[in-house]
Amino acid sequence: MKNIVIFGAPGAGKGTQSDFIVEHYGLTHVSTGDLLRKEIADQTELGKRIKSIMDEGRLVSDDIVVEMMDKAIAADTKGMLFDGFPRTVAQAETLDRLLAKHGRELTCMVQLEVPREELIRRLLERAKIQGRADDNEQTIANRLDEYNNKTLPVANYYAGQGKQKLIDGLGSIEDIAARVRAAIG
Ligand code: ADP
């Protein structure tokens, strides 16, 4: 059973490549961003608490996402693709613990590498098409800052475990998908 983390900056193409990975390996896709946006759309108590944080492009607290992931892992039987999680080293350590609790282990982390100018170009393009609340210039800058400060250290965490697979995230969607499959095996 495979349990994989898809990793990269906002706009790196995690969501797009996630669709191919879950299809190819028969995994359950869990996106923390999607789960959190659903809480906001449903206007739950949690949704009300996190709305302004997400609108500003800041990370929501580790406890909130960890609780969501704990439930998602407990409900799964197929193996999982984690998208948007872990985003801090504390979350990465917790993921190892949660997987171990269920007799599982992380297979690998797939990191999509895309230069900053291209990330900004893609996010502004998506802003025009999808109108996501956090796709505007100031929020994009905040998200890239959060990524550089809090999330990039997660890459070293997995490199230290020998689980990091670096993928060139530039090119056609199909070419990148082929690179990802080759890296996962
Ligand atoms: P993107 O990768 O395009 O920035 P996501 O949909 O993965 O978007 O996440 C959107 C927002 O949801 C983040 O900016 C953050 O506020 C929140 N979020 C998602 N995942 C996490 C996480 N693991 N820890 C903290 N906050 C998160």
Side-chain angles (χ1 to χ4, degrees), residues 10 14 32-33 37 54 58 60 84 87 91 126 132 143:
K14 297 189 295 287
T32 40
R37 276 187 290 278
M54 281 186 66
R58 301 289 169 203
V60 308
R87 258 182 160 92
Q91 290 180 17
R126 185 169 79 185
R132 223 174 80 171
R143 281 154 65 205

Side-chain angles (χ1 to χ4, degrees), residues 9-11 14 31-34 36-37 53-54 57-62 65 83-87 91 123 126 132 134 143:
K14 297 189 295 287
S31 156
T32 40
D34 287 349
L36 294 167
R37 276 187 290 278
I53 300 171
M54 281 186 66
R58 301 289 169 203
L59 295 186
V60 308
S61 76
D62 286 345
V65 289
D83 169 5
F85 178 87
R87 258 182 160 92
Q91 290 180 17
L123 290 167
R126 185 169 79 185
R132 223 174 80 171
D134 59 352
R143 281 154 65 205

Side-chain angles (χ1 to χ4, degrees), residues 4-110:
I4 297 171
V5 167
I6 179 103
F7 187 90
K14 297 189 295 287
T16 307
Q17 294 302 324
S18 289
D19 293 343
F20 288 101
I21 298 171
V22 295
E23 165 79 23
H24 190 76
Y25 295 100
L27 303 178
T28 302
H29 181 199
V30 52
S31 156
T32 40
D34 287 349
L35 291 175
L36 294 167
R37 276 187 290 278
K38 182 164 190 313
E39 296 287 335
I40 294 175
D42 293 348
Q43 301 188 330
T44 62
E45 277 312 306
L46 175 60
K48 288 174 195 160
R49 261 167 41 218
I50 62 178
K51 183 175 181 344
S52 63
I53 300 171
M54 281 186 66
D55 283 352
E56 285 167 20
R58 301 289 169 203
L59 295 186
V60 308
S61 76
D62 286 345
D63 331 352
I64 291 173
V65 289
V66 163
E67 194 185 323
M68 287 180 147
M69 286 302 112
D70 195 4
K71 284 190 191 142
I73 295 169
D76 173 65
T77 54
K78 299 194 291 186
M80 303 182 80
L81 179 70
F82 299 97
D83 169 5
F85 178 87
R87 258 182 160 92
T88 63
V89 171
Q91 290 180 17
E93 290 166 351
T94 305
L95 177 59
D96 281 342
R97 203 165 39 72
L98 291 177
L99 288 171
K101 189 167 92 176
H102 295 278
R104 300 188 188 189
E105 196 194 341
L106 194 76
T107 311
C108 63
M109 173 272 228
V110 173

